[in-house]
Amino acid sequence: MKRVSEAAIRNTPAIAEQLKWVLPEAGLVLEIGSGTGQHAAAFSALFPDLTWQPTNHDNVESVQAWREESARANFLEPVLFDLFDAVAPVEHADAIYCANVLHIAPAAAVQHLFRHAANLLPSDAPLVLYGPYRYLERPLEPSNEDFDLWLRSNVPGGGIRVLEDVVDTANSVGIALRHDIPMPANNRLLVFSPVE
């Protein structure tokens, strides 16, 4: 059954503008946490030379519905994948895209995400993270403060992650933060890549 996220409708154009210069011209993009499937549908259409592999940790029905509607060869069949799985669903990726996942996953998921990225990505290939983050040196925006409180009350292990902690975790497996881009609605687009 195809689901629609109003947030995805709002954030897709702004994310797409950044992905135009972030993503490689061709290759395989592993999307971790495809949600409804709207990003996969939109970005596989916008970037026809990229093959988009969507994943979800529990339910791929909506992603599959978007795939069938799009009928695009570069929008692959979605697969089940959890960041805590020992093995990724692909052996290699030219980019990884992960939107609105880390704040609804247990904190340990951050380490598993970067471990998978270190195993899958070649040097300088992008790992793109989208969502809200907090900074040690400044308070959260009021809307994100409310969201963080809601997450901590309603999502086991959830909460807006501290950017500096995320960067330290990335650095521990040889991955560096390349860009930290402000996005609408107090979100960030973070671009990491393995160092040579």
Side-chain angles (χ1 to χ4, degrees), residues 8 11-16 18-19 22-23 28-35 38-43 47 52-55 81 83 93-101 113 117 121 126-131 183 188-191:
N11 64 35
T12 294
I15 295 172
Q18 301 301 326
L19 293 184
V22 169
L23 293 178
L28 176 71
V29 179
L30 174 64
E31 181 179 15
I32 296 175
S34 299
Q38 287 163 264
H39 283 174
F43 301 148
F47 306 105
W52 204 270
Q53 175 61 73
T55 71
F81 173 60
L83 282 171
D94 298 290
I96 295 175
Y97 174 75
C98 181
N100 291 320
V101 168
L113 170 64
L121 295 174
L127 163 60
V128 183
L129 306 183
Y130 171 84
M183 301 292 284
R188 314 295 296 187
L189 190 129
L190 308 177
V191 183

Side-chain angles (χ1 to χ4, degrees), residues 45 120 158 166:
L120 295 173
V166 173

Side-chain angles (χ1 to χ4, degrees), residues 110-127:
V110 177
Q111 181 179 2
H112 289 273
L113 170 64
F114 287 111
R115 178 177 59 80
H116 284 299
N119 289 333
L120 295 173
L121 295 174
S123 297
D124 296 327
L127 163 60

Side-chain angles (χ1 to χ4, degrees), residues 82-178:
D82 189 291
L83 282 171
F84 290 85
D85 292 345
V87 179
V90 297
E91 294 182 357
H92 165 88
D94 298 290
I96 295 175
Y97 174 75
C98 181
N100 291 320
V101 168
L102 294 184
H103 57 274
I104 61 170
V110 177
Q111 181 179 2
H112 289 273
L113 170 64
F114 287 111
R115 178 177 59 80
H116 284 299
N119 289 333
L120 295 173
L121 295 174
S123 297
D124 296 327
L127 163 60
V128 183
L129 306 183
Y130 171 84
Y133 292 87
R134 66 165 70 234
Y135 295 79
L136 289 175
E137 77 279 6
R138 63 176 186 256
L140 275 175
E141 304 84 358
S143 63
N144 277 345
E145 185 70 50
D146 292 342
F147 184 39
D148 185 54
L149 289 172
W150 183 90
L151 287 167
R152 293 179 186 279
S153 298
N154 294 278
V155 179
I160 295 178
R161 306 301 168 204
V162 175
L163 178 66
E164 290 85 349
D165 292 343
V166 173
V167 171
D168 286 346
T169 302
N171 292 164
S172 72
V173 293
I175 293 177
L177 177 65
R178 307 296 192 182

